[in-house]
Amino acid sequence: MLGQTVDPKDAAERLANAVAPVDAVEPIGDELADVIVALVQEVSQHPDADRLTVCRVDTGNGIVDVVCGAPNVTAGKKYPYASVGSVLPGDFKIKKLKIRGVESNGMLCSESEVDLGSEGGGLMELSVDSSPGTSLPEALKLRDTRLAIDVNPDRPDVLCHKGIARELGASLGINPRLCQIPGAPDDTKQPVRTGSTGEIAGVTVTIEDTEGCPRYMAAAVRGVEIGPSPVWLKSRMHSIGSRSINNVVDATNYILFELNQPLHAFDLDTLGGAVVIRNAQDGETLTTLDGELRELNAGMTMICDASKPIAVGGVMGDVGSEVTNSTTNILLECAYFEPKGIRATRTALKLTTDASYRFERGTDLQGMPDALRRAVSLIIAVAGGEEAEAPIDLYPNPIGHANVFLRPARVEHLLGVEIPIQEIEDYLTSVGFAVAPKDDRLAVQVPGWRPDVTREVDLIEEVARLRGYNSFPTEMRPFRPGTVPNDGIEILKARVRTALTANGLHEVRSVSFSRTPGPDAQPILNPLSADEAFLRTDLMTGLARSVEYNWSVRERNVRLFEIGTVFRRVGKDVRPAEQFHVAGVVTGARKATHWSNSSADNDYDLWDLKFLLEETVAVCGVGNIGENESGWAVTGEDGGRLGWAMEVVCDRPEWVARVFGFEVELTLGESTVRKFRTLPNTPPVERDLALVIPDGVDVAETETVMQEAAGPFLESVVIFDEYRTEGIGGRSVAWHLIFRAPGKTLRDRDADHAVKRIVETLEKKLDVRLRQA
Amino acid sequence: MPTTAAREQLDGIRSTSDSIPEADSDRISEIRRDLLGRKSGRLTRLLRSLRDLEPGERKEIGAAANLLKNQVESALEAREQILSQQTASDDEVDLTMPSRKGWRGALHPVTTVVDEICEIFREIGFTRIVGPEAETEEYNFTKLNIPLDHPAADMQDSFYLAPGVVLRTHTSPMQAHTLEQYEPPIRIVVPGTVYRRDPFDPSHSPVFEQIEGLAVDEGISFVDFKAAIDFFVARFFAKGTSVRFRPSFFPFTEPSAEVDVGCPMCSGSGCSTCKQTGFMEIMGAGMVHPAVFERCGVDAEKYTGYAFGMGPHRIAMIRHGIPDIRMLFQNDMRMLSQFVD
Ligand SMILES: [Zn+2]
């Protein structure tokens, strides 16, 4: 269409920079590189099999004998030939064979064997001038390059070759032209515009559903001969990765890929004189071409003949009205179907076709007459026949071209670069927009193939992409700071991460789905699997599973934490409540192995867990830690539960250690500024105190009493030993006490008095006594 | 013996014991003899003399003395051990013996990527915020100019929690929330988890991380957009990494762009990671579509802006050469520990 050869790599680059990325640049013809043109010189009966012949074949590189089963093999004709050792499409390797005692050197091929058609019964006759030995891709001019383009959903215009040629033309400065169709009539009849009903070739066509189908055109071609397509058309089909079916079907596919206009050919003689485009009724059925019985619903647009449905409009036809080998007269449909209706229909039917894909994205409402006329001439060129009367054009409410105004100043405002008006006009006209200056604006007429362009900014995008995004400068200009403050929760998360990684835990990210139902579990209506049917309500379940996973790969030491969202169902049809949590789990050695360490008592225990919990709660700055039957609970100011820590029950193999875990809500507390405490300038007095704590008394209450009884100078208390032994009436706990008085040197006597008060009060209140020597 | 004398003795013993950590081996033997000697050791004698005290005093002093005895014994032992190691002459210490290591935890590689990206944008004035993972269709689609009956909605197959409620398919709903809640100028980055109904395979996950960016003010242009992205690429990727902007389509940006960087694996010469293109797609972006402003109550004539979205999982995979996205969800210690820094 461009009138010149374009380097595929260059074309791919130009398309990527201006339109859409090219996923693949693939050579075509390579798959048939092994196949050559061969001349059958002589055909003789196989001595031992009625249906087989033995052919003397000139391969251009010697004469060989080939056993052949095709009935149409004729001496003096040329066929595709694959020698021994060569490979046919589908990875089919040719071997030397003995067929009923006769050696066969290679294979003569049918068109289906070389992927050029569906005919598999007979050999593919080659009416080419090429001498034997010429490679088939050369002889049939199959060699080409295929670009697979990843088209964005807003650009239906580049779902076809003309659209791509238009874009490449704009980039190269060439105005593309459609290719000549070999054997096409000089002209076709001008369609006749009518309202919602019209008549052609004895068929009355009526649009009832003008919403779903605002424009419907039909042409009639009489006297066609359905048969194989000519080689040029077959090779075009091959080059787009599609298989040749027959001349009429190939012709409609050709137009679909050339102009993005899906067409449908009906057997005119089966229609009973009427075509009606109407809304389907609930429960109506038809059997689509893929053999499925489809149930339709109201809202779908259906094409019917005088008595029955013949197609789901814009999606797929019914088997009964298709063109068959005996068809001689066809009615060619060229329609526009409303994108939203097509989308609803193909979704309901779970059926996406080349046609529905295009209608859904928007076809060219204005380009239909040209597409239909080209289709008619192509059909006549490849299948014969003639156009008995002018096509009809049912277009009850014609819609003109859309017009959009563009302010050149707005182009500069949005793109940040001044672009001269002439340049803007040139970009727009290069891809088919018609531009007329009006006051200080440009009135831009949008071509029918660009349904995506509806407002000024769409035109500005056109200017930007046609100028080339990479041509704009990347110059950092001044900016104003924003009004949105940083979210404190992100800062908190970072601090928790720092604290926990510093303690040796690795951060993980688990999937937020869960398989566990429950009153709080928010179900997913369309989960991928039953294992992922709910949103998680905690992080620990996932962490425990990760611990088990690590055990399964023989990892005994596991230290993990996660910060993530958990969900709580709050009611029907509303969003679930969301909360960030942090959870951690540790098991195995609390220190890396070192040759100087004793290995005993090196595994994580409850006290490591309590520290991790304290660290986390301290970083959060919210919550108090208390004890309960299973471990510790974190509660908020209002008494609400914020978290917990305990030994986690897992299905443990022999060789692993106990597992300890915690989980806490991440809640942003009041940020408080810490006040500096004056450093002490007086010496401390230290005392150690070993006490026997009776059963039922804990150290927390013991320390509370200690603090109360000590008077003002007790600075700190630290437990440095605990042991349990029979016969002392409890357990022995030893404290290190530090006394200090601000501003004066505390005397030993003061400390001794304080210790004495502590001991007496403890004994009185808690029956805690000094340990006997 | 009077109590005060006993207390004074205790204090004396304590001060002697305080010198143990600095004592040499001769001094250690001396202290051992002085305090714990079977006959005349000071502590031994003190313990022996407890019986002469008043019962109340006896208990208190006794406890303190016993405790002190334990401490002295363990301090002597510890010092002796250290001294015995020191006696081995320097050339007998095998310095190739491994060091004493502590456990160190690693941030998840995706977190590191998210933090780095947000940090870089912070340098050019972007603040960091987060938003909900469950969204209404209105915020996930409609306000972002994605009609539910348009093929664009197919690009984002969603999980539904209730009619009209989805797990967000991108972090872009926060564009709408922010535009409604704050006056421009707006400069934000929004990291967060998003959901698409894609089963797990080596390059897809139904759950993954995304970072949204949005800048809105009077007079922000395509040049500002390119400059910000260019700044980011220059900071985040290796020196000299090339950037390419290509047209693309997102319903909420116009013009829309896809941003590619030169493939970090092959530096642009083409390899299997970049499918021979020499480039890697790293973000979708563009100028905020005026329809988004209109739907969020912002004057689209007065304000312009740009928005972008990136996938930290993909970027982490590219950066570290992780072949399968599922490994980022497997929580395998052997993998995680590779990212300790
Ligand atoms: Zn590469």
Side-chain angles (χ1 to χ4, degrees):
Chain A
M1 290 187 209
L2 294 171
Q4 70 175 64
T5 317
V6 183
D7 174 59
K9 283 241 159 72
D10 177 56
E13 178 111 15
R14 285 172 191 275
L15 289 172
N17 283 327
V19 191
V22 174
D23 277 351
V25 178
E26 305 160 336
I28 307 172
D30 278 6
E31 67 285 1
L32 294 176
D34 285 354
V35 184
I36 57 169
V37 176
L39 175 70
V40 173
Q41 293 179 327
E42 211 180 299
V43 178
S44 51
Q45 185 62 40
H46 188 287
D48 224 11
D50 286 352
R51 295 204 180 147
L52 298 179
T53 54
V54 180
C55 308
R56 303 228 70 190
V57 177
D58 177 1
T59 68
N61 189 23
I63 311 291
V64 294
D65 280 344
V66 177
V67 178
C68 177
N72 68 336
V73 63
T74 313
K77 294 206 163 171
K78 291 176 191 162
Y79 303 100
Y81 166 78
S83 64
V84 172
S86 62
V87 181
L88 289 181
D91 232 7
F92 179 59
K93 200 167 178 191
I94 308 296
K95 294 186 192 114
K96 192 171 208 164
L97 290 174
K98 250 192 182 162
I99 301 172
R100 297 230 182 164
V102 178
E103 201 161 88
S104 181
N105 297 284
M107 188 172 111
L108 293 167
C109 309
S110 70
E111 54 178 37
S112 78
E113 279 156 346
V114 290
D115 228 9
L116 288 172
S118 48
E119 181 57 49
L123 299 185
M124 179 179 187
E125 243 183 72
L126 298 172
S127 45
V128 291
D129 297 334
S130 323
S131 53
T134 313
S135 91
L136 187 68
E138 304 302 338
L140 296 182
K141 302 190 176 61
L142 291 178
R143 285 221 180 267
D144 207 337
T145 307
R146 177 190 300 142
L147 304 185
I149 302 165
D150 184 6
V151 175
N152 291 315
D154 65 329
R155 291 294 304 272
D157 63 303
V158 286
L159 286 171
C160 69
H161 294 141
K162 188 180 180 190
I164 294 295
R166 183 186 302 122
E167 290 290 341
L168 279 178
S171 165
L172 293 161
I174 300 171
N175 197 10
R177 277 225 173 87
L178 291 184
C179 308
Q180 284 286 319
I181 298 169
D186 292 338
D187 201 8
T188 56
K189 294 195 162 66
Q190 181 79 33
V192 177
R193 174 83 61 87
T194 71
S196 57
T197 187
E199 200 191 313
I200 183 168
V203 179
T204 308
V205 182
T206 311
I207 311 179
E208 286 178 7
D209 178 12
T210 52
E211 203 177 305
C213 176
R215 189 174 194 180
Y216 192 96
M217 300 183 67
V221 184
R222 291 188 178 277
V224 297
E225 195 178 326
I226 308 294
S229 292
V231 169
W232 74 265
L233 185 53
K234 279 183 182 162
S235 103
R236 299 314 276 167
M237 290 293 116
H238 180 79
S239 69
I240 57 169
S242 176
R243 185 170 265 214
S244 171
I245 310 287
N246 64 42
N247 46 13
V248 170
V249 173
D250 288 358
T252 57
N253 275 334
Y254 184 93
I255 299 297
L256 177 132
F257 279 96
E258 185 183 56
L259 301 176
N260 199 36
Q261 175 62 56
L263 300 162
H264 199 96
F266 295 107
D267 186 332
L268 184 83
D269 301 319
T270 66
L271 299 173
V275 168
V276 181
I277 300 96
R278 64 163 169 86
N279 260 321
Q281 285 155 17
D282 279 330
E284 273 185 297
T285 58
L286 64 73
T287 306
T288 41
L289 282 171
D290 53 4
E292 295 272 324
L293 181 71
R294 308 268 176 184
E295 190 175 319
L296 309 181
N297 65 41
M300 294 181 180
T301 302
M302 194 168 66
I303 318 294
C304 304
D305 66 10
S307 57
K308 59 183 187 308
I310 54 174
V312 183
V315 181
M316 201 181 253
D318 178 88
V319 280
S321 313
E322 281 310 304
V323 168
T324 63
N325 284 345
S326 57
T327 299
T328 53
N329 302 318
I330 58 173
L331 184 81
L332 190 61
E333 165 197 290
C334 173
Y336 179 92
F337 294 100
E338 191 44 46
K340 284 181 181 164
I342 292 293
R343 179 173 168 80
T345 303
R346 70 106 181 134
T347 311
L349 295 178
K350 295 190 174 67
L351 176 65
T352 299
T353 59
D354 279 337
S356 75
Y357 191 84
R358 286 166 169 77
F359 285 127
E360 185 181 344
R361 280 155 179 76
T363 52
D364 182 357
L365 192 54
Q366 316 291 348
M368 289 167 60
D370 290 343
L372 180 61
R373 291 177 72 180
R374 185 157 168 91
V376 167
S377 63
L378 177 56
I379 288 176
I380 292 171
V382 298
E386 56 178 21
E387 204 183 6
E389 27 183 311
I392 49 169
D393 179 4
L394 276 56
Y395 198 12
N397 306 301
I399 302 158
H401 282 276
N403 277 293
V404 178
F405 286 99
L406 176 65
R407 294 164 294 169
R410 190 69 185 172
V411 176
E412 181 184 349
H413 184 78
L414 191 65
L415 298 183
V417 169
E418 195 195 335
I419 303 173
I421 297 191
Q422 188 55 49
E423 208 181 313
I424 294 175
E425 281 192 49
D426 290 347
Y427 289 135
L428 294 174
T429 50
S430 74
V431 289
F433 293 91
V435 184
K438 196 166 187 186
D439 306 328
D440 52 353
R441 301 185 299 176
L442 297 174
V444 180
Q445 192 186 74
V446 180
W449 60 79
R450 290 301 300 274
D452 59 310
V453 175
T454 58
R455 55 191 292 174
E456 186 180 43
V457 69
D458 301 325
L459 292 171
I460 298 177
E461 180 178 64
E462 291 298 295
V463 172
R465 74 174 182 89
L466 291 164
R467 187 178 195 261
Y469 285 180
N470 296 309
S471 72
F472 288 83
T474 52
E475 156 202 339
M476 185 74 77
R477 296 172 179 173
F479 58 85
R480 300 197 289 172
T483 56
V484 187
N486 275 312
D487 190 333
I489 199 77
E490 288 293 280
I491 298 162
L492 176 58
K493 283 185 196 168
R495 294 179 56 213
V496 172
R497 285 188 181 108
T498 305
L500 293 175
T501 51
N503 281 291
L505 279 68
H506 293 312
E507 188 192 15
V508 303
R509 286 171 171 256
S510 308
V511 176
S512 1
F513 301 132
S514 132
R515 61 178 168 218
T516 324
D520 282 349
Q522 170 69 49
I524 295 168
L525 298 184
N526 55 342
L528 284 168
S529 75
D531 272 354
E532 299 163 337
F534 298 91
L535 290 175
R536 62 183 174 188
T537 54
D538 66 51
L539 301 179
M540 187 50 67
T541 312
L543 285 184
R545 204 169 300 159
S546 295
V547 168
E548 284 163 7
Y549 164 80
N550 278 288
W551 286 340
S552 79
V553 295
R554 304 298 288 184
E555 182 64 57
R556 182 177 183 274
N557 303 329
V558 187
R559 308 173 309 279
L560 307 174
F561 77 96
E562 175 162 11
I563 293 176
T565 308
V566 304
F567 301 82
R568 187 169 48 81
R569 185 176 190 270
V570 289
K572 206 172 167 294
D573 297 350
V574 292
R575 281 162 49 186
E578 295 178 32
Q579 175 68 48
F580 288 119
H581 274 200
V582 54
V585 66
V586 290
T587 178
R590 73 160 73 85
K591 271 190 218 150
T593 306
H594 191 253
W595 48 274
S596 69
N597 291 353
S598 78
S599 59
D601 192 30
N602 195 23
D603 280 344
Y604 278 110
D605 63 18
L606 273 177
W607 312 111
D608 298 304
L609 171 65
K610 189 176 184 187
F611 171 69
L612 290 173
L613 178 69
E614 286 167 349
E615 278 276 281
T616 307
V617 171
V619 170
C620 292
V622 179
N624 300 304
I625 299 174
E627 300 74 34
N628 60 23
E629 318 76 57
S630 47
W632 296 276
V634 184
T635 45
E637 293 292 292
D638 57 356
R641 192 172 121 123
L642 296 178
W644 54 267
M646 65 171 105
E647 182 167 358
V648 178
V649 185
C650 288
D651 199 5
R652 287 196 288 149
E654 278 291 294
W655 53 275
V656 305
R658 294 162 71 192
V659 183
F660 301 94
F662 68 92
E663 178 154 354
V664 181
E665 269 184 26
L666 278 188
T667 311
L668 215 48
E670 293 277 306
S671 74
T672 51
V673 177
R674 279 179 210 178
K675 280 275 178 280
F676 169 72
R677 283 193 310 269
T678 314
L679 301 181
N681 56 3
T682 54
V685 179
E686 298 172 40
R687 291 289 182 268
D688 289 334
L689 195 56
L691 301 172
V692 175
I693 315 272
D695 294 340
V697 176
D698 61 40
V699 298
E701 53 188 324
T702 309
E703 285 185 359
T704 310
V705 172
M706 243 184 229
Q707 299 279 6
E708 285 163 7
F713 303 135
L714 179 58
E715 187 179 271
S716 71
V717 297
V718 175
I719 295 176
F720 66 89
D721 190 29
E722 181 203 33
Y723 77 87
R724 291 162 192 269
T725 177
E726 291 295 310
I728 60 168
R731 58 196 164 118
S732 166
V733 179
W735 272 270
H736 186 65
L737 312 182
I738 296 178
F739 295 91
R740 197 194 306 264
K744 67 167 184 174
T745 300
L746 204 63
R747 288 168 304 178
D748 280 341
R749 201 188 318 139
D750 302 326
D752 291 334
H753 282 141
V755 168
K756 197 169 169 194
R757 270 198 312 278
I758 289 171
V759 171
E760 282 168 5
T761 320
L762 280 175
E763 187 166 341
K764 199 165 8 162
K765 287 201 170 163
L766 298 174
D767 195 27
V768 169
R769 290 155 194 279
L770 269 182
R771 195 174 85 200
Q772 294 298 331
Chain B
M1 183 178 62
T3 320
T4 24
R7 284 193 203 287
E8 272 160 21
Q9 283 178 29
L10 266 178
D11 285 345
I13 294 166
R14 206 175 270 129
S15 74
T16 307
S17 81
D18 285 348
S19 69
I20 293 175
E22 282 88 44
D24 62 13
S25 59
D26 288 348
R27 177 78 184 128
I28 286 294
S29 322
E30 207 176 291
I31 294 175
R32 186 179 288 281
R33 237 185 353 263
D34 173 29
L35 299 184
L36 303 172
R38 203 173 296 166
K39 281 195 178 144
S40 55
R42 282 193 276 155
L43 200 45
T44 321
R45 276 189 295 144
L46 178 64
L47 284 164
R48 215 178 283 145
S49 67
L50 286 175
R51 64 179 92 97
D52 305 335
L53 295 175
E54 294 286 307
E57 301 288 331
R58 184 194 303 158
K59 202 199 264 175
E60 188 195 322
I61 304 277
N66 270 312
L67 209 53
L68 189 55
K69 188 180 175 207
N70 287 343
Q71 285 172 337
V72 166
E73 277 168 349
S74 55
L76 287 169
E77 230 168 82
R79 183 62 188 160
E80 275 166 347
Q81 205 188 337
I82 289 168
L83 288 172
S84 79
Q85 279 167 14
Q86 279 175 2
T87 12
S89 67
D90 280 352
D91 56 15
E92 281 174 68
V93 177
D94 179 359
L95 296 175
T96 67
M97 289 289 271
S99 66
R100 184 176 288 118
K101 292 173 178 67
W103 287 143
R104 290 164 70 207
L107 292 179
H108 194 277
V110 169
T111 301
T112 312
V113 167
V114 169
D115 285 352
E116 273 182 41
I117 292 173
C118 292
E119 266 310 299
I120 292 169
F121 280 101
R122 199 169 82 131
E123 290 183 52
I124 46 173
F126 286 75
T127 49
R128 176 170 174 169
I129 62 167
V130 289
E133 294 174 27
E135 279 286 3
T136 56
E137 279 180 336
E138 191 190 0
Y139 279 90
N140 196 70
F141 298 116
T142 326
K143 293 224 179 212
L144 297 167
N145 195 31
I146 311 174
L148 290 168
D149 53 6
H150 189 270
D154 295 350
M155 293 158 83
Q156 311 186 351
D157 197 3
S158 13
F159 288 107
Y160 274 82
L161 302 181
V165 180
V166 296
L167 287 170
R168 64 177 173 193
T169 55
H170 46 189
T171 38
S172 311
M174 281 306 283
Q175 286 190 29
H177 288 299
T178 310
L179 288 172
E180 286 178 340
Q181 222 177 317
Y182 292 92
E183 288 292 317
I186 288 168
R187 291 175 89 82
I188 50 160
V189 282
V190 191
T193 307
V194 303
Y195 302 80
R196 303 263 169 104
R197 222 174 152 278
D198 286 328
F200 269 112
D201 70 25
S203 51
H204 293 92
S205 159
V207 182
F208 56 97
E209 194 75 4
Q210 199 171 62
I211 295 184
E212 190 78 9
L214 176 71
V216 175
D217 199 358
E218 287 175 53
I220 291 191
S221 74
F222 194 70
V223 171
D224 297 302
F225 156 63
K226 282 192 67 183
I229 302 309
D230 212 57
F231 176 84
F232 162 71
V233 171
R235 286 290 158 104
F236 189 84
F237 292 97
K239 215 175 178 170
T241 299
S242 56
V243 199
R244 180 172 84 169
F245 293 77
R246 288 187 286 107
S248 188
F249 169 70
F250 306 103
F252 39 98
T253 51
E254 188 88 4
S256 296
E258 201 81 54
V259 181
D260 295 343
V261 295
C263 172
M265 300 292 161
C266 63
S267 322
S269 58
C271 67
S272 63
T273 313
C274 59
K275 292 192 205 135
Q276 309 305 330
T277 60
F279 282 97
M280 297 276 239
E281 220 173 276
I282 55 151
M283 71 168 87
M287 302 303 291
V288 178
H289 200 294
V292 175
F293 285 141
E294 286 155 12
R295 284 161 203 256
C296 298
V298 175
D299 184 344
E301 193 57 28
K302 183 174 177 192
Y303 293 108
T304 49
Y306 57 86
F308 54 87
M310 278 182 267
H313 274 92
R314 217 179 95 77
I315 293 174
M317 288 168 73
I318 295 171
R319 172 186 255 197
H320 301 292
I322 298 167
D324 190 325
I325 195 171
R326 290 171 290 195
M327 298 186 82
L328 290 167
F329 293 94
Q330 208 157 31
N331 305 343
D332 187 320
M333 286 291 289
R334 298 166 303 174
M335 174 181 167
L336 298 167
S337 57
Q338 295 178 24
F339 299 101
V340 173
D341 34 41

